[in-house]
Amino acid sequence: MGPIEEAAGDREEENGSYVDGLPFRRFDPEEWKILMEGSRKAEEWREAERMKDPAYRRLKQGYWEYPEASRSDHKQICLASFLTPQGGVMLMDWAGENPGTFLAFYGAGIAPTKEIVRQRLSLKQSGETQQVQAFRGSFPWEKRMGMVMFAVPSTQALLDAIKDVQDFEVTSGDETFIWGEWHSGHQARDRLRQCISRRR
C-alpha cells in the first residue's frame, strides 16, 4: 500500500469551517460559562454518588490505620498510616539491627521508581518549607504508586513532632507530588508510643 493521502473533504483552507472532518466552533463567553457550569454539576453529581459509599466517605475524611506485625521478623516495626483519596502518610519506626525512623508519603501523584533513589525535595508543613534529601521508590503494597521517605533523627523526635492537625505538601521544583492535611495525629502518636514501649 502506498502513502495514505489526506481525504480532500476532511480539511479545508485555514479560514474554512472544518478541520479533520469536525466542524470548527467558536464559543462565546456565555456559552463557555454554560459548558463549565454543566461540567461542574456533573462532577458534583458523581461526587454525591461516591459519597453514598461508607468506605469512600471515610476515605474522603481521612483516617489512620495501624497495621499489626504478623510475622516474627516484623515485630520491631511500629507504623501508623493516614489514608486519603490523594494518597497517604506513614509514620514509621524500626528497631533491631537496622533501626530507622521515617516520615513517608505515597500516592498516585508520585511516579514510582524501580530502585530506591535519593532526591532533594521540598517538604512544607505549617507554612515552613525545608529542602530535604529524601528516598524515593515505589509503594510496597501498590507498585503503580510512588513513595518518598524523609529520615527523622530519632524515635523521640518523631513522637515530639506529631501534631494533632498537620498540613503537608511535597514538591520538586514546580511539580507537586502530594498535599493534604491529617487530623487526629495525637491518636497516632499515642498508638506509636504504645507499640514502641511493647518492644522494649
Side-chain angles (χ1 to χ4, degrees):
M1 180 183 292
I4 299 175
E5 293 183 357
E6 187 176 56
D10 283 348
R11 294 187 70 86
E12 293 191 8
E13 61 274 8
E14 292 182 3
N15 59 353
S17 60
Y18 289 84
V19 178
D20 293 332
L22 298 174
F24 182 74
R25 178 78 162 88
R26 286 192 176 92
F27 294 95
D28 63 35
E30 187 60 29
E31 288 174 317
W32 275 116
K33 182 178 178 182
I34 293 171
L35 283 171
M36 293 300 102
E37 180 65 12
S39 177
R40 183 185 66 79
K41 287 183 177 179
E43 178 54 34
E44 286 179 353
W45 179 84
R46 286 190 291 268
E47 180 68 5
E49 288 298 303
R50 290 191 290 261
M51 288 295 285
K52 293 177 182 177
D53 181 356
Y56 179 79
R57 288 200 303 272
R58 187 179 183 217
L59 184 63
K60 183 81 172 179
Q61 294 169 355
Y63 65 94
W64 289 97
E65 279 192 343
Y66 309 98
E68 295 294 332
S70 58
R71 289 168 32 193
S72 60
D73 58 341
H74 285 177
K75 295 299 184 183
Q76 300 292 341
I77 300 173
C78 292
L79 170 66
S81 182
F82 187 75
L83 288 75
T84 75
Q86 293 83 24
V89 183
M90 287 197 297
L91 309 174
M92 300 179 285
D93 188 76
W94 279 280
E97 293 182 5
N98 298 297
T101 306
F102 296 91
L103 168 64
F105 301 89
Y106 60 92
I110 305 172
T113 60
K114 290 184 179 180
E115 304 290 338
I116 295 179
V117 297
R118 289 178 179 267
Q119 183 175 0
R120 196 159 189 81
L121 300 174
S122 295
L123 172 61
K124 184 176 181 180
Q125 295 176 296
S126 303
E128 297 184 4
T129 302
Q130 304 176 66
Q131 296 290 327
V132 187
Q133 190 86 317
F135 299 97
R136 180 176 171 185
S138 60
F139 185 55
W141 297 281
E142 176 51 75
K143 299 297 184 181
R144 291 173 295 181
M145 290 196 300
M147 179 173 71
V148 292
M149 299 170 58
F150 299 93
V152 179
S154 67
T155 300
Q156 193 59 49
L158 175 66
L159 294 173
D160 290 345
I162 299 174
K163 295 184 178 180
D164 199 43
V165 178
Q166 177 66 72
D167 60 282
F168 55 84
E169 183 178 12
V170 180
T171 59
S172 176
D174 295 330
E175 181 182 7
T176 298
F177 285 169
I178 190 171
W179 59 270
E181 181 180 86
W182 76 57
H183 59 76
S184 307
H186 287 170
Q187 174 193 96
R189 177 199 61 194
D190 294 344
R191 288 290 295 267
L192 283 172
R193 185 177 285 132
Q194 290 171 10
C195 175
I196 291 164
S197 65
R198 285 197 300 266
R199 70 189 184 194
R200 289 175 180 168

